[in-house]
């Protein structure tokens, strides 16, 4: 109300003020961005440039002076069956886990958005898988999937479902399934809490109005809630995809890429080559193969951003 | 007005950042301290000449042994017996074997970190250019100890230069339950792989327990079982020169066929997922009747389950047509080139490795878990009166290295860290034909050896 | 009204309990493992879901024979400071990118996202060089200053989304009222974005709490270790896992945080209602 009364008398004299405001926005924006960009430049920018350089040299831990070798490390990787298998594994792992994490996360967020007794405790408790350090929860999964002591197998055998347990981490497809299960378990709460935060910004009045107009809960959810939380969902989805493609810890603890490389991901293979075998340049090249996929994500995000901000 | 409001938050931020940098610099200064301050006072007597020890700092990166007493020896005995009397500020960081390597690689690459690091396997060959020559220490330790074993020397010496001082070998032996073997009609553990397949099948039929052997991706048990298996049939990655691939051969095929037979008859598919710790647990839980392992299984049983320990016997791996082989896990001390004052570190390594000190270390409880890299270890320094440890005495002479029969090389180390041999066997165990597994391995080795 | 109870059972309590069982079972398992004796742990004849001779030995080992308390303190310090730094940077950057019109906004937003694409497994080796050059290795600062690189990109993007979802009109009317942009930001936009900020804080804190590779590589002494690094490097010895103590460490390294979050979750809902009333 007050704004209206002050705004009314428009005069020509106000035009430069608008220009001034826009000008100020540009300066202010850069001032606000500065701290974040500085930290990123110092601790990612420089090491990343070093890594790019590494990937086109023959640097190993032992070489003091590296030689430029062009794209040899990249073409060399393509000749390795292990690498090709790893790329396939990474796609399967990322694709499957992200879809499940999104589905379960959305469901969980909707559940948690209702009010019930001990809601806060329940919300925090369901975050636990995401809070516990992966390095440690992965060890718990290692114990749960243990060939001899798996409690799942104990249940399977004792309940008579089968007379021998599943070879969780010892058979190609099951090993992949196991790491996928552990990843979904760990990642779902992250989706849930982010989407839950999104759900809470949804205007209840809008939903109530739609309900009055006769929209079913299902329609309200798909037509109103989902479009409103879409920005959050999209960002979470993309960030999770990036995290999952470059996942390392879980596989490193559970299988180290075995059996016979059936669970190697780009992250673990790059680690094996760069750190365990000391071939820094080759490891960097393998890591950088993640980039094309990731760049697609960025472009998708930018396109989305441009569309929504106009 | 406006300006002040704009700058306020950033101002605060800048001062916060400045504070961070100042305090970081301060913290770093406190942490690093006068690292190389030359000390006054009399030089300590030492085998390699007078070295200023007093007031120096030494940071040692070591692996954490499963034998608590071995860790304690480093944290307490070494500090009390050496560091304190010499006035050295000794920090020992003990980390799990798998977590040591990223720290070592990162330190070497960044040009700073621990003053001495315990390497494993053939790492000295991978990092040779970044490690200082420790020839004087190594030669002295070797001659005082009655001569290094060939494998210890091969792993630590790169093209004639000592890049590390051998520290020890974690040997392994087949642990088996005597009672179960007898139940199946055997009286002695089989001496050949084909006999093991036969007897293993009998034991499995009688007792439902199998011969358990890890074939997954893990640093210890899978390669120390499968490499000797390959060698004992005459197979190897390359010929003696290391310049020609030899993996795709009739010998390798024999080994793969024999392994498939052993695996199907006497073992179990779950072994494909096993890591170094799996057989320890499975044996303790009486789920397997035999397995190859370091002495940790027996040592644990001695206190946790004396009956099981009593029933446990230890022997070296069976032989193949080309003889009996073994692959112990070797450890070496290396001093990176970035260490500005290696004198005190050399003193420390000389001290630890002298037969007198090392004999004390071996007696702390490891018994035969960590073996000396030199011959006195199996002789006068032998720590155990329990005859069950005796097979370990032979490990030093019997053990080979990654890349055998060629000398160790970075390529052999890379192939080891990519588990090429392990996976070749694992593929066959999973049902692939020996031919296809062999040609897969050959393809990978081609890119690794650049041949 | 009478129909709502079974309905709620079906749409809320049943799926919720199911989710709770699936998500929390591994924690029950960690707990059970942490109070079993080593002998009972590998006893395959007993009922694995229960403990018959509970023991606190593994907790004793954790506290008396490792530096667990020290590690917990380190982890807490690092996480709090790194989160604070990241939040300040992300709020400022997210606001600028979402609300201000300036040249290169899209490019900068993209660049910030790209930094998130660089895998840590690629970065930790060259990063140690930077950390050493700054004289930070083996200090808590090495982690406090590097963790924001993992945290800022996501937090910034998350907050951009939140800032966007707040109607521009609210802020504009304040501007027209004569408030400065900074005031409009701190007094109108920030309170409304509180759920988002808390969400970003929880995210940042958790990731700092979890981080492994940097903490492993940047530290050289037990005193500086964090919980995940300390537990993993000192309780897996050779080929023996000290399961009981490992699981005790995992539990003690996560449950207290969840308890603290349960208070925050409350605030986070409160922040929303407060914002709604003002709006």
């Amino acid at each position: 109300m007050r704004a209206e009364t002050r705004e009314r008398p428009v005069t020509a004299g106000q035009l430069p003020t608008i220009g001034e405001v826009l000008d100020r926005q540009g300066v202010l924006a850069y001032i606000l961005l500065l701290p974040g960009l500085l930290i990123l430049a110092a601790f990612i920018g420089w090491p990343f440039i070093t890594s790019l350089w590494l990937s086109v040299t023959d640097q190993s831990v032992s070489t003091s002076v590296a030689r430029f070798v062009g794209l040899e490390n990249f073409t060399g990787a393509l000749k390795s069956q292990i690498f090709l298998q790893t790329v396939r594994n990474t796609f399967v792992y990322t694709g499957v886990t992200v879809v499940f994490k999104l589905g379960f996360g959305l469901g969980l967020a909707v559940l948690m958005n209702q009010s019930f007794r001990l809601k806060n405790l329940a919300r925090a408790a369901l975050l636990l898988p995401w809070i516990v350090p992966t390095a440690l929860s992965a060890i718990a999964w290692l114990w749960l999937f243990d060939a001899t002591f798996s409690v799942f197998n104990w249940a399977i055998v004792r309940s008579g479902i089968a007379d021998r347990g599943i070879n969780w981490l010892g058979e190609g497809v099951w090993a992949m399934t196991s790491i996928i299960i552990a990843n979904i378990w760990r990642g779902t709460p992250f989706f849930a809490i982010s989407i839950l935060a999104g759900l809470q910004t949804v205007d209840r009045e809008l939903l109530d109005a739609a309900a009055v107009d006769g929209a079913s809960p299902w329609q309200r959810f798909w037509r109103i809630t989902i479009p409103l939380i879409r920005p959050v969902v999209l960002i979470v989805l993309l960030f999770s995809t990036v995290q999952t493609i470059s996942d390392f810890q879980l596989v490193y603890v559970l299988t180290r890429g075995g059996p016979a490389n059936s669970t190697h991901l780009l992250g673990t293979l790059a680690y094996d080559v760069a750190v365990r075998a000391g071939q820094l340049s080759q490891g960097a090249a393998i890591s950088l193969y993640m980039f094309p996929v990731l760049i697609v994500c960025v472009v998708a995000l930018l396109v989305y951003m441009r569309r929504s901000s106009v | 007005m406006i300006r002040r409001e704009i700058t306020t938050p950033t101002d605060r931020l800048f001062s916060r950042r400045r504070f961070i940098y100042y305090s970081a610099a301060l913290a770093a200064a406190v942490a690093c301290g006068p690292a190389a301050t030359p000390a006054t006072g009399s030089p300590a007597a030492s085998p390699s000449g007078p070295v200023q020890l007093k007031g120096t700092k030494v940071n040692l990166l070591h692996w954490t042994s499963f034998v608590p007493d071995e860790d304690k020896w480093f944290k307490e005995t070494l500090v009390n017996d050496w560091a304190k009397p010499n006035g050295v500020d000794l920090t020992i960081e003990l980390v799990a074997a798998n977590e040591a390597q990223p720290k070592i690689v990162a330190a070497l690459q960044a040009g700073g970190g621990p003053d001495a690091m315990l390497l494993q396997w053939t790492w000295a060959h991978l990092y040779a250019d970044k490690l200082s020559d420790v020839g004087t220490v190594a030669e002295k330790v070797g001659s005082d100890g009655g001569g290094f074993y060939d494998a210890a020397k091969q792993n630590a010496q790169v093209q004639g230069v000592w890049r590390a001082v051998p520290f020890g070998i974690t040997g392994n032996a087949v642990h088996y339950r005597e009672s179960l073997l007898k139940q199946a009609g055997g009286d002695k553990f089989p001496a050949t792989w084909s006999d093991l397949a036969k007897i293993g099948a009998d034991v499995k039929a009688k007792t439902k327990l199998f011969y358990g052997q890890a074939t997954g991706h893990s640093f210890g048990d899978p390669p120390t079982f499968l490499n000797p298996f390959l060698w004992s049939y005459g197979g190897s990655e390359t010929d003696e020169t290391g310049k020609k691939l030899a993996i795709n051969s009739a010998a390798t095929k024999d080994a793969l066929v024999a392994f498939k037979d052993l695996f199907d008859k006497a073992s179990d598919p779950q072994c494909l997922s096993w890591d170094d710790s799996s057989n320890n647990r499975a044996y303790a839980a009486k789920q397997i009747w035999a397995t190859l392992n370091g002495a940790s299984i027996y040592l644990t049983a001695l206190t946790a389950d004396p009956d099981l320990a009593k029933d446990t016997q230890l022997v070296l791996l069976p032989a193949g047509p080309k003889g009996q082989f073994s692959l112990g896990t070797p450890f070496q001390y290396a001093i990176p080139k970035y260490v500005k004052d290696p004198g005190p570190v050399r003193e420390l390594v000389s001290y630890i490795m002298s037969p007198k000190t090392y004999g004390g270390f071996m007696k702390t409880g490891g018994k035969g878990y960590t073996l000396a890299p030199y011959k006195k270890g199996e002789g006068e320094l032998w720590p155990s009166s329990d005859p069950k440890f005796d097979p370990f005495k032979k490990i030093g002479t019997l053990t080979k290295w990654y890349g055998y029969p060629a000398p160790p090389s970075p390529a052999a180390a890379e192939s080891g860290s990519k588990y090429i041999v392990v996976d070749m066997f694992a593929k066959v165990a999973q049902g692939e034909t020996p031919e296809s597994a062999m040609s897969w391995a050959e393809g990978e080795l081609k890119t690794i050896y650049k041949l | 009204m009478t129909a709502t109870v079974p309905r709620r059972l079906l749409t809320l309590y049943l799926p919720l309990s199911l989710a709770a069982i699936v998500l929390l079972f591994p924690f029950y398992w960690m707990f059970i493992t942490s109070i079993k004796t080593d002998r009972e742990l590998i006893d395959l004849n007993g009922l694995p879901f229960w403990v018959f001779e509970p023991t606190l030995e593994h907790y004793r080992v954790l506290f008396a024979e490792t530096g667990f308390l020290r590690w917990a303190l380190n982890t807490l310090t690092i996480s709090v400071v790194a989160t604070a730094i990241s939040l300040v940077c992300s709020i400022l950057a997210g606001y600028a990118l979402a609300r201000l019109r300036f040249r290169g906004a899209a490019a900068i937003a993209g660049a910030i996202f790209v930094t998130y694409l660089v895998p840590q497994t690629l970065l930790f080796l060259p990063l140690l060089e930077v950390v050493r050059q700054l004289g930070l290795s083996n200090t808590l600062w090495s982690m406090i200053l590097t963790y924001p690189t993992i945290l800022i990109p996501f937090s910034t993007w998350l907050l951009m989304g939140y800032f966007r979802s707040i109607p521009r009109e609210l802020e504009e009317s304040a501007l027209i009222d004569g408030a400065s942009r900074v005031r409009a930001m701190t007094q109108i936009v920030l309170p409304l974005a509180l759920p988002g900020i808390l969400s970003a804080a929880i995210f940042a804190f958790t990731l700092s709490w979890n981080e492994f590779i940097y903490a492993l590589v940047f530290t050289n002494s037990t005193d500086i270790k964090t919980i995940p690094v300390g537990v993993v490097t000192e309780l897996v010895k050779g080929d023996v896992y000290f399961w009981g103590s490992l699981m005790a460490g995992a539990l003690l390294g996560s449950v207290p945080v969840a308890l603290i979050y349960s208070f925050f979750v409350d605030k986070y809902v409160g922040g929303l209602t407060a914002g709604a009333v003002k709006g």
Side-chain angles (χ1 to χ4, degrees):
Chain A
M1 284 298 144
R2 275 184 300 139
E4 251 174 43
T5 50
R6 268 198 60 179
E7 204 185 3
R8 275 311 115 199
V10 180
T11 60
Q14 270 191 329
L15 277 171
T17 344
I18 295 166
E20 218 183 312
V21 168
L22 281 178
D23 188 34
R24 208 173 69 192
Q25 282 196 18
V27 178
L28 178 64
Y30 281 103
I31 292 173
L32 296 183
L33 284 166
L34 197 64
L37 292 183
L38 269 180
I39 289 191
L40 291 179
F43 294 106
I44 284 198
W46 177 246
F48 182 52
I49 291 168
T50 318
S51 310
L52 285 180
W53 166 244
L54 266 183
S55 71
V56 292
T57 66
D58 65 347
Q59 178 88 52
S60 72
V61 181
S62 202
T63 40
S64 327
V65 183
R67 206 165 43 93
F68 178 76
V69 296
L71 295 177
E72 209 174 89
N73 294 317
F74 292 91
T75 51
L78 289 177
K79 284 189 215 137
S80 163
Q81 288 292 323
I82 299 180
F83 175 76
L84 299 176
Q85 193 181 357
T86 301
V87 171
R88 276 197 303 275
N89 294 341
T90 310
F91 272 104
V92 171
Y93 178 71
T94 309
V96 175
T97 56
V98 167
V99 167
F100 276 97
K101 283 186 280 190
L102 176 63
F104 290 151
L106 192 62
L108 202 56
V110 170
L111 282 177
M112 298 297 237
N113 200 29
Q114 307 179 45
S115 66
F116 52 89
R117 229 170 284 167
L118 294 177
K119 186 172 63 180
N120 293 333
L121 197 68
R123 283 175 176 174
L126 296 189
L127 272 181
L128 265 173
W130 183 59
I131 296 170
V132 60
T134 317
L136 302 178
S137 63
I139 290 180
W141 281 103
L142 185 65
W143 186 229
L144 284 164
F145 287 138
D146 187 275
T148 315
F149 299 94
S150 170
V151 66
F152 302 138
N153 283 351
W154 187 90
I156 287 171
V157 173
R158 291 299 169 100
S159 65
I161 296 174
D163 53 348
R164 60 175 299 149
I166 293 168
N167 194 359
W168 290 104
L169 300 170
E171 200 181 292
V173 177
W174 279 115
M176 183 52 92
T177 310
S178 305
I179 60 171
I180 284 175
I181 290 174
N183 181 286
I184 294 173
W185 175 82
R186 194 199 124 67
T188 298
F190 169 61
F191 273 81
I193 188 171
S194 302
I195 296 173
L196 177 61
L199 285 178
Q200 305 205 327
T201 60
V202 173
D203 197 349
R204 274 229 71 86
E205 282 171 31
L206 219 55
L207 292 174
D208 293 343
V212 171
D213 287 349
S216 71
W218 201 242
Q219 280 173 322
R220 272 176 278 158
F221 182 69
W222 284 111
R223 299 274 169 78
I224 300 174
T225 311
I226 291 284
L228 280 172
I229 61 168
R230 208 177 53 180
V232 177
V233 170
L234 218 81
I235 289 166
V236 172
L237 201 60
L238 281 165
F239 275 88
S240 170
T241 306
V242 173
Q243 279 282 302
T244 315
I245 286 181
S246 56
D247 203 358
F248 167 77
Q249 198 69 49
L250 205 57
V251 175
Y252 174 74
V253 173
L254 286 180
T255 62
R256 291 180 201 275
N261 303 311
S262 50
T263 55
H264 245 321
L265 304 181
L266 285 169
T268 51
L269 183 67
Y271 177 88
D272 270 6
V273 172
V275 174
R276 298 194 52 249
Q279 306 298 321
L280 299 175
S281 54
Q282 292 174 24
I286 291 171
S287 293
L288 286 171
Y289 264 109
M290 291 176 208
F291 252 66
V293 184
L294 298 178
I295 291 296
V296 172
C297 297
V298 179
V299 171
L301 248 186
L302 285 182
V303 167
Y304 170 79
M305 205 179 87
R306 193 153 294 166
R307 241 193 13 215
S308 65
S309 65
V310 168
Chain B
M1 264 313 239
I2 287 160
R3 177 166 300 165
R4 197 174 63 200
E5 274 174 7
I6 290 173
T7 49
T8 306
T10 37
D11 258 351
R12 207 174 292 148
L13 203 86
F14 278 131
S15 59
R16 180 194 294 255
R17 282 179 60 81
R18 206 174 295 136
F19 164 73
I20 286 165
Y21 276 114
Y22 284 144
S23 36
L26 193 73
V30 171
C32 299
T37 318
T40 48
S42 62
S46 76
S48 54
V51 170
Q52 299 272 9
L53 286 179
K54 199 146 192 271
T56 54
K57 283 185 126 186
V58 174
N59 187 317
L60 173 65
L61 178 65
H62 215 279
W63 86 310
T64 170
S65 165
F66 103 99
V67 182
D69 287 347
E70 288 194 354
D71 281 1
K72 212 164 131 193
W73 186 87
F74 277 97
K75 279 196 235 166
E76 290 171 14
T77 316
L78 187 61
V79 172
N80 291 331
D81 290 1
W82 183 80
K84 282 191 185 150
N86 285 309
V88 177
D89 181 1
L90 175 65
T91 323
I92 295 159
E93 193 196 358
L94 299 164
V95 295
N98 273 315
E99 270 65 52
Q101 203 170 13
K103 294 176 73 84
I104 290 171
V105 169
L108 290 175
Q109 202 49 28
D115 301 309
M117 34 182 67
L118 190 69
L119 308 181
Q120 304 164 24
W121 299 113
T122 48
W123 297 356
H125 291 258
L126 281 177
Y127 315 144
D129 287 2
K130 300 259 163 87
L131 306 175
S132 59
D133 181 348
V134 286
T136 47
V137 180
E139 299 285 357
K140 174 112 178 55
V141 167
S143 66
D144 287 355
F148 284 123
Y149 296 115
D150 190 31
K153 191 175 161 182
Q154 291 277 3
N155 284 318
Q157 219 179 28
V158 184
Q159 283 158 356
V161 180
W162 290 97
R163 294 294 171 192
V165 181
F167 164 73
I169 302 167
T170 302
N172 44 46
V174 176
H175 291 55
Y176 70 96
R177 303 259 308 274
E178 199 174 15
S179 62
L180 297 174
L181 182 68
K182 289 211 166 113
Q183 238 176 308
D187 49 55
K188 263 186 72 190
F189 194 80
T192 64
W193 292 116
S194 46
D195 287 349
L196 177 60
K198 267 184 234 132
I199 291 176
D202 291 346
V203 179
K204 199 175 169 185
K206 278 251 163 54
T207 67
K208 301 248 186 278
L209 303 188
F210 55 94
Y211 179 88
Q213 199 59 59
T215 42
H217 282 191
S218 196
F219 84 101
D221 294 340
T224 54
F225 178 77
L226 293 169
N227 280 301
F229 194 96
L230 178 65
W231 297 330
S232 74
Y233 281 84
S236 60
E237 291 185 351
T238 67
D239 65 2
E240 308 80 35
T241 62
K243 300 272 191 309
K244 198 166 159 275
L245 291 185
I247 193 79
N248 201 339
S249 66
T252 307
K253 194 186 162 191
D254 289 347
L256 291 171
V257 170
F259 179 72
K260 174 74 175 160
D261 185 50
L262 175 69
F263 192 83
D264 287 350
K265 282 187 184 151
S267 192
D268 187 276
Q270 62 165 277
C271 295
L272 287 162
S273 74
W274 281 18
D275 62 18
D276 289 310
S277 63
S278 310
N279 57 346
N280 295 53
R281 292 193 292 275
Y283 193 89
K286 305 188 172 73
Q287 295 300 300
I288 53 176
W289 73 276
T291 187
L292 177 78
N293 204 64
S296 53
I297 286 184
Y298 179 59
L299 281 169
T300 310
L302 276 177
T303 48
D305 193 346
D307 289 342
L308 181 65
K310 210 169 162 198
D311 191 27
T312 298
Q313 294 293 339
L314 287 85
V315 291
L316 293 172
L317 278 179
K322 292 281 154 28
Q324 190 181 32
F325 287 84
S326 174
L327 178 63
T329 313
F331 293 91
Q332 314 88 24
Y333 283 120
I335 304 174
K337 278 185 180 160
Y338 61 66
V339 176
K340 291 197 183 71
D341 178 19
V345 197
R346 290 199 183 132
E347 284 302 305
L348 172 65
V349 174
S350 306
Y351 173 80
I352 296 174
M353 293 314 300
S354 71
K356 184 165 169 274
T357 322
Y358 203 91
F361 167 70
M362 280 175 82
K363 283 199 172 64
T364 52
K367 295 195 170 114
Y369 187 68
T370 305
L371 307 157
Y374 41 64
K375 300 199 172 98
K376 272 191 187 167
E378 64 182 85
E380 60 193 77
L381 299 180
W382 189 250
S384 177
S385 54
D386 183 344
K388 285 190 181 172
F389 284 105
D390 285 353
F392 286 103
K393 288 183 182 173
K394 293 195 196 124
I395 291 287
T397 24
L398 207 56
T399 187
K400 301 296 183 220
W401 52 86
Y402 271 121
Y404 172 84
S409 64
E414 187 182 340
S415 136
S417 61
K418 282 185 171 170
Y419 306 103
I420 305 293
V421 168
V422 170
D423 284 348
M424 178 177 74
F425 279 99
K427 278 169 183 277
V428 171
Q430 282 177 322
E432 231 176 81
T433 62
E435 287 78 9
S436 110
M438 253 181 339
S439 75
W440 170 82
E442 191 178 31
E444 296 298 330
L445 290 177
K446 257 185 199 154
T447 59
I448 293 169
Y449 279 89
K450 305 211 163 55
L451 292 171
Chain C
M1 276 297 128
T2 44
T4 56
V5 171
R7 196 190 151 85
R8 250 174 102 70
L9 197 70
L10 206 66
T11 59
L12 178 65
Y13 292 112
L14 197 70
L16 203 62
S17 334
L18 209 67
I21 290 170
V22 172
L23 290 175
L24 299 183
F25 176 73
F27 288 91
Y28 173 72
W29 201 243
M30 289 180 206
F31 174 66
I32 283 284
T33 305
S34 74
I35 57 170
K36 275 185 184 174
T37 58
D38 287 338
R39 183 170 267 245
E40 195 179 341
L41 189 63
I42 58 165
D43 178 11
L44 285 162
N45 299 316
L47 183 70
F49 296 98
W50 197 244
V51 189
F52 297 95
E53 319 157 32
T55 170
L56 289 175
E57 169 63 16
H58 304 303
Y59 288 86
R60 189 197 63 77
V61 168
L62 196 63
F63 286 108
E65 289 172 22
T66 74
F68 188 80
L69 283 175
R70 184 62 203 242
W71 301 337
L73 190 67
N74 290 341
T75 318
L76 187 67
T77 313
I78 294 167
S79 304
V80 166
V81 182
T83 301
I85 293 176
S86 309
L87 274 188
V88 171
C89 293
S90 307
I91 289 172
L92 298 179
Y95 178 84
L97 292 169
R99 273 298 198 255
L100 303 178
R101 286 170 204 279
F102 62 101
R103 217 171 285 218
I108 289 178
I112 289 178
F113 186 82
V114 169
T115 60
Y116 191 73
L117 303 185
V118 188
Q120 275 178 283
T121 38
L122 174 69
L123 224 49
F124 77 92
L125 290 169
L127 192 54
L128 179 63
E129 269 176 87
V130 175
V131 165
R132 281 197 58 80
Q133 294 293 328
L134 294 172
L136 301 178
S137 67
N138 207 26
T139 65
L140 295 183
W141 290 107
S142 65
M143 290 162 272
I144 290 174
L145 289 177
T146 51
Y147 286 3
T149 59
I150 327 169
L151 314 176
I152 290 175
F154 178 83
S155 310
T156 304
W157 275 76
L158 190 73
L159 289 170
M160 266 166 65
Y162 272 93
F163 289 140
R164 281 230 182 82
S165 69
I166 295 164
R168 240 173 220 282
E169 296 77 40
L170 286 174
E171 200 182 352
E172 270 159 13
S173 65
L175 285 176
I176 290 161
D177 263 359
S180 71
R181 195 162 268 283
V182 172
R183 174 157 300 180
M185 173 183 158
T186 51
Q187 299 196 343
I188 296 183
V189 181
L190 285 191
L192 283 174
L194 207 60
I197 293 172
L198 265 152
S199 199
I202 288 181
F203 166 84
F205 186 86
T206 311
L207 241 64
S208 313
W209 192 263
N210 260 312
E211 206 285 331
F212 184 76
I213 293 192
Y214 289 176
L216 172 71
V217 172
F218 297 163
T219 57
N220 285 322
S221 54
T222 297
D223 296 352
I224 307 290
K225 282 180 181 170
T226 60
I227 291 177
V229 171
V231 170
V232 170
T233 57
E234 299 192 17
L235 289 169
V236 179
K237 293 166 181 264
D239 51 3
V240 178
Y241 281 72
F242 286 66
W243 291 106
S245 304
L246 280 165
M247 295 299 105
L251 274 183
L252 294 179
S254 56
V255 172
V257 180
L259 284 177
I260 295 168
Y261 281 4
S262 69
F263 295 109
F264 269 108
V265 168
D266 186 37
K267 285 271 187 322
Y268 154 98
V269 179
L272 170 84
T273 33
V277 170
K278 264 192 206 156

